[in-house]
Amino acid sequence: MKTKILLLAGMCLGLAACESMDLVPRSQGNTESWYTTETELRLASNDFYILGYWQEPLSSSEQWSDNTTYRQTNRNPGSGGTILDGTMNGQQYEVYTLWQQSFKLIARANTMLENIHKAKGSVSQEVYDRYAGEAYFCRACKYAELIFFYGDVPYQEETITISEALQRGRKPKAEVIPLVYADFDKAIAGLPESYGQGENIHATKGAALAMKARFALYMGDYEIAAQAAKACMDLKLYSLEPDYAKLFKQSTKLNDEKVFVIPRSIENSVILDSWIVKNGLPRNAGGYGSYNPSWDLFASYLCTDGLPIDESQLFDPRNPFKNRDPRCAMTIVEFNTEHCGFEYDPSPAAKTVMNYTTGKMQSNQDTRIVNQYSSYTGLLWKKGIDASWTVDQKVEQDYIIIRYADVLLIYAEAMIELNRIDDSVLKAINMVRARAYGVNVTATGSYPAVTTTDQTELRRALRIERRMEFAMENQRLQDLMRWKLAGKALNGYNYIMLINPTELLNNVVNKNLWFWGMTPQIDEDGLADFSALFNAGYCSQGAKRIFPEREYLWPLPTHDVELCPNLLPNNPGY
């Protein structure tokens, strides 16, 4: 039998599946004898949903945005910090891992599509279409990611030999985009709207529509994005979870807002990365509390009158959680509230806090005057993090790839960019905002409903809404890149509390200036400016973020460029 391989040698690395990530054990088979029965198709399709294909490395992209800080630096221990220090290159983990994982899944999808004909006659047309649809869906999703980050990419619809692969190079992005849409359309046609209870992991018609809409939005094809999002909405299978905070807890599994997820399972040893767990938990609860929300994100949440903090009369820099959009305190731990069994108070004046488990005061490890490595911003993540994280520090939260709130905001954004602003657009945005306030979209007196129909104003409102809604969901970097705001938002400093805790106590806390000495200014893009606070001596500058213009496209993996330099020229600037 002629040996089949992936497109490039670099794509072959790590071809063996990570068994620890498999949610369903698979029998062994090969392409000569496999794909002939429904059972074999099901077992083969299970292989499409290995967590690594979907989360690596984009599950870390929030760290590469202005929403987070890691201690006083931008550094991600896995990458050396090169995403935001201007030194991105083709040998970087994120660069070659996204490339490899994407092409590995594409190869598996192609193998299915190349062999599924063997099942004809032994399975129904419905079953045949369903499994072909899953393969088309996965191939489309992976090429969507490759195009967004790399631009022109090698394109394959079948398994090929290395000699054949060397005759191909990067296919122009403009030629690949229609092929991706075609794959999504085949998936939409073949996939069912839902499965039985035991198969909720697999892609559905709604997932294909939603992911097509996201891809079209990223490509600036707003007509296609609006149509696909509307078709997903019209299925009437999805709805917003009334409790925003509940949606992200590990105890929340099946949910009508989750359009496409990859579930984790402690039973099957598929759990949240321990680095994320340790860095997300407060130090009082046994974590590091080192991966933190940024001041930039904290400042972006609107006040309850719908205005930014520098325009609202409701904002108090001494009590910055008061009168803010409810998602602020559901995403970032509010000061002097219970979190993971302990009172959270980052003030250097708070040397002790309440341990709610024992009912006694204890040393406060989450203030820098007690522990120098506690949060440098004074902020901790709350979204999805609760006391259940402290149980053996094993967490099985679903990895949410797309949810219904995103479908609504994709539809709204596409219609805004088309300048076809009507009540459906306002309703889509307001449904998301009203849910945050725990009220029905029609109760406009109980939340700051968006009412403007001006395209520029509505575009700004939509972008702020996305930031408040999707913080910590690894969408911020992609949003900044496609809005062409990454160069503005990601060149500058992280601002943090005064590094010396005694200075922080004397210059801020004891002068009754805690938390911020003054209100930061918010610009026309919803970005905060902390330079006045820094110049007044109320805060410090952390690491400098650097996002060169070239990083709107990532470099190709060095190994593959060196393998065939004439056919795989790198992106400009690398």
Side-chain angles (χ1 to χ4, degrees), residues 154-204:
Y155 186 81
Q156 62 177 114
E157 294 181 306
E158 73 286 340
T159 52
I160 55 178
T161 66
I162 190 65
S163 60
E164 292 168 329
L166 288 174
Q167 302 306 310
R168 302 183 184 182
R170 298 173 69 182
K171 196 177 187 74
K173 171 182 172 180
E175 295 179 19
V176 180
I177 290 173
L179 301 176
V180 175
Y181 288 142
D183 275 356
F184 274 126
D185 289 340
K186 292 172 186 175
I188 292 163
L191 290 172
E193 293 185 357
S194 63
Y195 297 102
Q197 188 75 10
E199 294 188 85
N200 60 298
I201 179 177
H202 290 253
T204 61

Short mmCIF file of all heavy atoms in Angstrom, two decimals, residues 154-204:
data_model
loop_
_atom_site.label_atom_id
_atom_site.label_comp_id
_atom_site.label_asym_id
_atom_site.label_seq_id
_atom_site.Cartn_x
_atom_site.Cartn_y
_atom_site.Cartn_z
N PRO A 154 -0.96 26.48 2.40
CA PRO A 154 -1.08 25.27 1.57
C PRO A 154 -2.49 24.71 1.73
O PRO A 154 -3.03 24.69 2.84
CB PRO A 154 -0.04 24.33 2.17
CG PRO A 154 0.91 25.22 2.91
CD PRO A 154 0.09 26.34 3.42
N TYR A 155 -3.06 24.26 0.65
CA TYR A 155 -4.43 23.74 0.73
C TYR A 155 -4.47 22.33 0.19
O TYR A 155 -3.94 22.04 -0.89
CB TYR A 155 -5.40 24.61 -0.07
CG TYR A 155 -6.84 24.19 0.12
CD1 TYR A 155 -7.55 24.60 1.25
CD2 TYR A 155 -7.48 23.37 -0.80
CE1 TYR A 155 -8.86 24.20 1.45
CE2 TYR A 155 -8.80 22.96 -0.61
CZ TYR A 155 -9.48 23.38 0.51
OH TYR A 155 -10.78 22.98 0.73
N GLN A 156 -5.09 21.43 0.95
CA GLN A 156 -5.22 20.05 0.50
C GLN A 156 -6.62 19.54 0.80
O GLN A 156 -7.19 19.83 1.85
CB GLN A 156 -4.18 19.15 1.19
CG GLN A 156 -4.32 19.09 2.70
CD GLN A 156 -3.33 18.15 3.35
OE1 GLN A 156 -2.47 18.58 4.08
NE2 GLN A 156 -3.46 16.86 3.08
N GLU A 157 -7.15 18.79 -0.14
CA GLU A 157 -8.45 18.15 0.03
C GLU A 157 -8.32 16.63 0.03
O GLU A 157 -9.32 15.93 0.04
CB GLU A 157 -9.40 18.58 -1.09
CG GLU A 157 -9.76 20.05 -1.05
CD GLU A 157 -10.72 20.44 -2.15
OE1 GLU A 157 -10.41 20.16 -3.34
OE2 GLU A 157 -11.77 21.01 -1.85
N GLU A 158 -7.07 16.15 0.04
CA GLU A 158 -6.84 14.71 0.03
C GLU A 158 -5.48 14.43 0.65
O GLU A 158 -4.66 15.34 0.82
CB GLU A 158 -6.87 14.16 -1.41
CG GLU A 158 -5.66 14.50 -2.27
CD GLU A 158 -5.60 15.95 -2.74
OE1 GLU A 158 -6.65 16.62 -2.73
OE2 GLU A 158 -4.50 16.40 -3.11
N THR A 159 -5.23 13.17 1.02
CA THR A 159 -3.90 12.80 1.49
C THR A 159 -2.99 12.67 0.27
O THR A 159 -3.40 12.15 -0.77
CB THR A 159 -3.94 11.47 2.26
OG1 THR A 159 -4.60 10.48 1.47
CG2 THR A 159 -4.69 11.64 3.57
N ILE A 160 -1.77 13.15 0.41
CA ILE A 160 -0.85 13.17 -0.73
C ILE A 160 0.54 12.77 -0.29
O ILE A 160 0.88 12.80 0.90
CB ILE A 160 -0.81 14.57 -1.39
CG1 ILE A 160 -0.45 15.64 -0.36
CG2 ILE A 160 -2.12 14.90 -2.07
CD1 ILE A 160 -0.35 17.03 -0.93
N THR A 161 1.38 12.40 -1.26
CA THR A 161 2.76 12.03 -0.97
C THR A 161 3.60 13.28 -0.84
O THR A 161 3.21 14.37 -1.27
CB THR A 161 3.33 11.15 -2.09
OG1 THR A 161 3.41 11.93 -3.29
CG2 THR A 161 2.46 9.92 -2.31
N ILE A 162 4.80 13.12 -0.29
CA ILE A 162 5.68 14.26 -0.11
C ILE A 162 6.08 14.86 -1.45
O ILE A 162 6.21 16.07 -1.60
CB ILE A 162 6.93 13.86 0.71
CG1 ILE A 162 7.74 15.10 1.11
CG2 ILE A 162 7.80 12.89 -0.05
CD1 ILE A 162 7.04 16.04 2.03
N SER A 163 6.30 14.01 -2.47
CA SER A 163 6.68 14.55 -3.78
C SER A 163 5.55 15.40 -4.37
O SER A 163 5.80 16.42 -5.01
CB SER A 163 7.04 13.41 -4.75
OG SER A 163 5.93 12.53 -4.91
N GLU A 164 4.32 14.96 -4.14
CA GLU A 164 3.19 15.75 -4.61
C GLU A 164 3.08 17.06 -3.82
O GLU A 164 2.79 18.11 -4.39
CB GLU A 164 1.89 14.95 -4.47
CG GLU A 164 1.80 13.76 -5.41
CD GLU A 164 0.66 12.83 -5.05
OE1 GLU A 164 0.31 12.71 -3.86
OE2 GLU A 164 0.10 12.20 -5.98
N ALA A 165 3.34 16.95 -2.53
CA ALA A 165 3.24 18.14 -1.68
C ALA A 165 4.25 19.20 -2.08
O ALA A 165 3.97 20.40 -2.06
CB ALA A 165 3.44 17.76 -0.21
N LEU A 166 5.46 18.74 -2.48
CA LEU A 166 6.51 19.70 -2.84
C LEU A 166 6.17 20.48 -4.11
O LEU A 166 6.80 21.51 -4.39
CB LEU A 166 7.84 18.96 -3.00
CG LEU A 166 8.47 18.47 -1.68
CD1 LEU A 166 9.69 17.63 -1.96
CD2 LEU A 166 8.83 19.65 -0.79
N GLN A 167 5.24 19.99 -4.89
CA GLN A 167 4.84 20.70 -6.10
C GLN A 167 3.81 21.79 -5.81
O GLN A 167 3.43 22.54 -6.70
CB GLN A 167 4.27 19.72 -7.13
CG GLN A 167 5.23 18.62 -7.53
CD GLN A 167 6.56 19.16 -8.00
OE1 GLN A 167 6.60 20.05 -8.86
NE2 GLN A 167 7.65 18.63 -7.46
N ARG A 168 3.39 21.83 -4.57
CA ARG A 168 2.41 22.84 -4.18
C ARG A 168 3.06 23.87 -3.27
O ARG A 168 4.03 23.60 -2.58
CB ARG A 168 1.23 22.20 -3.45
CG ARG A 168 0.52 21.14 -4.26
CD ARG A 168 -0.68 20.61 -3.49
NE ARG A 168 -1.33 19.52 -4.21
CZ ARG A 168 -2.42 18.89 -3.79
NH1 ARG A 168 -2.97 19.24 -2.63
NH2 ARG A 168 -2.96 17.92 -4.50
N GLY A 169 2.51 25.03 -3.23
CA GLY A 169 2.97 26.06 -2.31
C GLY A 169 1.79 26.61 -1.55
O GLY A 169 0.80 25.92 -1.30
N ARG A 170 1.88 27.86 -1.21
CA ARG A 170 0.78 28.52 -0.49
C ARG A 170 -0.29 28.96 -1.50
O ARG A 170 0.00 29.65 -2.47
CB ARG A 170 1.31 29.73 0.27
CG ARG A 170 2.33 29.39 1.33
CD ARG A 170 2.96 30.63 1.96
NE ARG A 170 2.01 31.37 2.77
CZ ARG A 170 2.30 32.50 3.39
NH1 ARG A 170 3.52 33.03 3.26
NH2 ARG A 170 1.39 33.11 4.13
N LYS A 171 -1.49 28.55 -1.24
CA LYS A 171 -2.60 28.95 -2.10
C LYS A 171 -3.08 30.32 -1.64
O LYS A 171 -3.24 30.57 -0.44
CB LYS A 171 -3.74 27.93 -1.97
CG LYS A 171 -4.79 28.00 -3.08
CD LYS A 171 -5.82 26.89 -2.88
CE LYS A 171 -6.80 26.82 -4.04
NZ LYS A 171 -6.18 26.23 -5.25
N PRO A 172 -3.31 31.25 -2.56
CA PRO A 172 -3.74 32.59 -2.15
C PRO A 172 -5.00 32.55 -1.29
O PRO A 172 -5.93 31.78 -1.56
CB PRO A 172 -4.01 33.29 -3.49
CG PRO A 172 -3.14 32.58 -4.47
CD PRO A 172 -3.12 31.15 -4.02
N LYS A 173 -4.99 33.35 -0.26
CA LYS A 173 -6.11 33.43 0.67
C LYS A 173 -7.43 33.63 -0.06
O LYS A 173 -8.46 33.02 0.27
CB LYS A 173 -5.85 34.57 1.66
CG LYS A 173 -6.98 34.94 2.57
CD LYS A 173 -6.56 36.12 3.46
CE LYS A 173 -7.71 36.68 4.26
NZ LYS A 173 -7.28 37.82 5.11
N ALA A 174 -7.42 34.50 -1.08
CA ALA A 174 -8.66 34.79 -1.82
C ALA A 174 -9.23 33.56 -2.50
O ALA A 174 -10.44 33.48 -2.73
CB ALA A 174 -8.39 35.89 -2.85
N GLU A 175 -8.38 32.58 -2.82
CA GLU A 175 -8.85 31.36 -3.45
C GLU A 175 -9.30 30.32 -2.43
O GLU A 175 -10.12 29.45 -2.74
CB GLU A 175 -7.74 30.77 -4.33
CG GLU A 175 -7.35 31.65 -5.51
CD GLU A 175 -6.24 31.05 -6.34
OE1 GLU A 175 -6.02 29.81 -6.24
OE2 GLU A 175 -5.58 31.79 -7.08
N VAL A 176 -8.75 30.39 -1.22
CA VAL A 176 -9.09 29.41 -0.19
C VAL A 176 -10.41 29.77 0.49
O VAL A 176 -11.19 28.87 0.85
CB VAL A 176 -7.96 29.29 0.84
CG1 VAL A 176 -8.32 28.27 1.93
CG2 VAL A 176 -6.65 28.89 0.18
N ILE A 177 -10.68 31.05 0.66
CA ILE A 177 -11.89 31.48 1.37
C ILE A 177 -13.16 30.85 0.79
O ILE A 177 -13.98 30.29 1.53
CB ILE A 177 -11.99 33.01 1.41
CG1 ILE A 177 -10.91 33.59 2.33
CG2 ILE A 177 -13.37 33.47 1.87
CD1 ILE A 177 -10.81 35.11 2.30
N PRO A 178 -13.38 30.89 -0.55
CA PRO A 178 -14.59 30.24 -1.09
C PRO A 178 -14.64 28.74 -0.82
O PRO A 178 -15.73 28.17 -0.65
CB PRO A 178 -14.51 30.53 -2.59
CG PRO A 178 -13.62 31.72 -2.72
CD PRO A 178 -12.62 31.57 -1.61
N LEU A 179 -13.47 28.09 -0.77
CA LEU A 179 -13.43 26.65 -0.48
C LEU A 179 -13.86 26.37 0.96
O LEU A 179 -14.52 25.36 1.24
CB LEU A 179 -12.02 26.11 -0.73
CG LEU A 179 -11.48 26.28 -2.16
CD1 LEU A 179 -10.05 25.79 -2.25
CD2 LEU A 179 -12.36 25.54 -3.16
N VAL A 180 -13.50 27.26 1.85
CA VAL A 180 -13.90 27.11 3.26
C VAL A 180 -15.42 27.30 3.38
O VAL A 180 -16.09 26.53 4.07
CB VAL A 180 -13.15 28.10 4.15
CG1 VAL A 180 -13.66 28.03 5.60
CG2 VAL A 180 -11.65 27.83 4.10
N TYR A 181 -15.94 28.32 2.70
CA TYR A 181 -17.40 28.50 2.72
C TYR A 181 -18.11 27.27 2.16
O TYR A 181 -19.15 26.84 2.69
CB TYR A 181 -17.80 29.74 1.90
CG TYR A 181 -17.44 31.05 2.53
CD1 TYR A 181 -16.99 32.12 1.75
CD2 TYR A 181 -17.57 31.27 3.90
CE1 TYR A 181 -16.67 33.34 2.31
CE2 TYR A 181 -17.26 32.49 4.47
CZ TYR A 181 -16.80 33.53 3.67
OH TYR A 181 -16.49 34.74 4.24
N ALA A 182 -17.56 26.70 1.10
CA ALA A 182 -18.18 25.52 0.50
C ALA A 182 -18.19 24.34 1.47
O ALA A 182 -19.18 23.60 1.56
CB ALA A 182 -17.44 25.14 -0.79
N ASP A 183 -17.10 24.18 2.21
CA ASP A 183 -17.06 23.11 3.22
C ASP A 183 -18.09 23.36 4.32
O ASP A 183 -18.77 22.43 4.77
CB ASP A 183 -15.67 23.01 3.84
CG ASP A 183 -14.73 22.14 3.01
OD1 ASP A 183 -15.18 21.56 2.01
OD2 ASP A 183 -13.54 22.04 3.37
N PHE A 184 -18.19 24.60 4.78
CA PHE A 184 -19.20 24.91 5.79
C PHE A 184 -20.61 24.60 5.25
O PHE A 184 -21.45 24.05 5.97
CB PHE A 184 -19.11 26.37 6.22
CG PHE A 184 -18.13 26.65 7.31
CD1 PHE A 184 -17.14 27.62 7.16
CD2 PHE A 184 -18.19 25.95 8.52
CE1 PHE A 184 -16.23 27.87 8.18
CE2 PHE A 184 -17.28 26.20 9.54
CZ PHE A 184 -16.30 27.17 9.37
N ASP A 185 -20.85 24.95 4.00
CA ASP A 185 -22.18 24.70 3.42
C ASP A 185 -22.49 23.21 3.33
O ASP A 185 -23.63 22.78 3.57
CB ASP A 185 -22.29 25.35 2.05
CG ASP A 185 -22.35 26.88 2.12
OD1 ASP A 185 -22.69 27.40 3.20
OD2 ASP A 185 -22.05 27.54 1.11
N LYS A 186 -21.49 22.40 2.98
CA LYS A 186 -21.69 20.95 2.95
C LYS A 186 -21.96 20.42 4.35
O LYS A 186 -22.78 19.52 4.54
CB LYS A 186 -20.46 20.26 2.35
CG LYS A 186 -20.26 20.55 0.86
CD LYS A 186 -18.92 20.00 0.38
CE LYS A 186 -18.64 20.41 -1.06
NZ LYS A 186 -17.28 20.00 -1.51
N ALA A 187 -21.26 20.97 5.33
CA ALA A 187 -21.50 20.56 6.71
C ALA A 187 -22.90 20.94 7.16
O ALA A 187 -23.61 20.15 7.78
CB ALA A 187 -20.45 21.21 7.63
N ILE A 188 -23.32 22.16 6.83
CA ILE A 188 -24.66 22.63 7.19
C ILE A 188 -25.72 21.72 6.58
O ILE A 188 -26.72 21.38 7.23
CB ILE A 188 -24.85 24.09 6.74
CG1 ILE A 188 -23.94 25.02 7.56
CG2 ILE A 188 -26.30 24.52 6.86
CD1 ILE A 188 -23.75 26.39 6.95
N ALA A 189 -25.51 21.31 5.33
CA ALA A 189 -26.48 20.46 4.65
C ALA A 189 -26.55 19.06 5.24
O ALA A 189 -27.61 18.44 5.28
CB ALA A 189 -26.15 20.38 3.16
N GLY A 190 -25.41 18.54 5.71
CA GLY A 190 -25.37 17.15 6.15
C GLY A 190 -25.55 16.93 7.63
O GLY A 190 -25.98 15.84 8.04
N LEU A 191 -25.25 17.92 8.45
CA LEU A 191 -25.28 17.71 9.89
C LEU A 191 -26.69 17.82 10.45
O LEU A 191 -27.50 18.63 9.98
CB LEU A 191 -24.39 18.74 10.60
CG LEU A 191 -22.88 18.56 10.39
CD1 LEU A 191 -22.13 19.76 10.96
CD2 LEU A 191 -22.40 17.28 11.06
N PRO A 192 -27.01 17.03 11.46
CA PRO A 192 -28.33 17.14 12.11
C PRO A 192 -28.38 18.35 13.02
O PRO A 192 -27.34 18.91 13.39
CB PRO A 192 -28.42 15.84 12.92
CG PRO A 192 -27.00 15.52 13.25
CD PRO A 192 -26.19 15.95 12.06
N GLU A 193 -29.57 18.74 13.40
CA GLU A 193 -29.72 19.87 14.31
C GLU A 193 -29.32 19.50 15.73
O GLU A 193 -28.90 20.35 16.51
CB GLU A 193 -31.16 20.39 14.28
CG GLU A 193 -31.53 21.03 12.95
CD GLU A 193 -32.92 21.65 12.98
OE1 GLU A 193 -33.61 21.52 14.01
OE2 GLU A 193 -33.31 22.25 11.97
N SER A 194 -29.46 18.23 16.09
CA SER A 194 -29.08 17.78 17.43
C SER A 194 -28.85 16.29 17.42
O SER A 194 -29.18 15.60 16.45
CB SER A 194 -30.18 18.14 18.44
OG SER A 194 -31.38 17.45 18.13
N TYR A 195 -28.26 15.80 18.51
CA TYR A 195 -27.98 14.37 18.66
C TYR A 195 -28.65 13.86 19.93
O TYR A 195 -29.28 14.62 20.67
CB TYR A 195 -26.47 14.12 18.77
CG TYR A 195 -25.68 14.53 17.56
CD1 TYR A 195 -24.96 15.72 17.55
CD2 TYR A 195 -25.65 13.73 16.43
CE1 TYR A 195 -24.22 16.10 16.44
CE2 TYR A 195 -24.92 14.10 15.31
CZ TYR A 195 -24.19 15.28 15.32
OH TYR A 195 -23.47 15.64 14.23
N GLY A 196 -28.44 12.60 20.19
CA GLY A 196 -28.89 12.04 21.46
C GLY A 196 -28.03 12.54 22.60
O GLY A 196 -26.99 13.19 22.39
N GLN A 197 -28.42 12.23 23.78
CA GLN A 197 -27.76 12.74 24.98
C GLN A 197 -26.27 12.42 25.00
O GLN A 197 -25.47 13.21 25.48
CB GLN A 197 -28.43 12.14 26.23
CG GLN A 197 -27.97 12.73 27.55
CD GLN A 197 -28.54 14.11 27.80
OE1 GLN A 197 -29.42 14.54 27.08
NE2 GLN A 197 -28.02 14.79 28.80
N GLY A 198 -25.88 11.29 24.48
CA GLY A 198 -24.50 10.86 24.59
C GLY A 198 -23.57 11.42 23.53
O GLY A 198 -22.38 11.15 23.55
N GLU A 199 -24.08 12.20 22.57
CA GLU A 199 -23.24 12.66 21.48
C GLU A 199 -23.23 14.17 21.34
O GLU A 199 -23.06 14.72 20.26
CB GLU A 199 -23.73 12.03 20.16
CG GLU A 199 -23.56 10.53 20.10
CD GLU A 199 -23.87 9.98 18.72
OE1 GLU A 199 -22.96 9.98 17.87
OE2 GLU A 199 -25.00 9.57 18.50
N ASN A 200 -23.40 14.87 22.45
CA ASN A 200 -23.46 16.33 22.39
C ASN A 200 -22.12 16.96 22.01
O ASN A 200 -22.06 18.13 21.67
CB ASN A 200 -23.91 16.89 23.74
CG ASN A 200 -22.98 16.52 24.87
OD1 ASN A 200 -22.80 15.36 25.18
ND2 ASN A 200 -22.40 17.52 25.50
N ILE A 201 -21.05 16.17 22.07
CA ILE A 201 -19.74 16.71 21.71
C ILE A 201 -19.65 16.99 20.21
O ILE A 201 -18.92 17.87 19.78
CB ILE A 201 -18.63 15.71 22.12
CG1 ILE A 201 -17.25 16.25 21.73
CG2 ILE A 201 -18.82 14.36 21.51
CD1 ILE A 201 -16.11 15.36 22.18
N HIS A 202 -20.38 16.27 19.38
CA HIS A 202 -20.20 16.35 17.94
C HIS A 202 -20.83 17.61 17.36
O HIS A 202 -21.79 18.15 17.87
CB HIS A 202 -20.80 15.11 17.26
CG HIS A 202 -20.02 13.86 17.54
ND1 HIS A 202 -19.23 13.24 16.60
CD2 HIS A 202 -19.89 13.11 18.66
CE1 HIS A 202 -18.67 12.17 17.12
NE2 HIS A 202 -19.06 12.07 18.38
N ALA A 203 -20.26 18.05 16.25
CA ALA A 203 -20.74 19.26 15.58
C ALA A 203 -22.17 19.07 15.07
O ALA A 203 -22.56 17.98 14.68
CB ALA A 203 -19.82 19.61 14.42
N THR A 204 -22.91 20.16 15.06
CA THR A 204 -24.29 20.17 14.59
C THR A 204 -24.46 21.19 13.48
O THR A 204 -23.54 21.95 13.17
CB THR A 204 -25.25 20.53 15.74
OG1 THR A 204 -24.91 21.85 16.20
CG2 THR A 204 -25.15 19.54 16.89
#
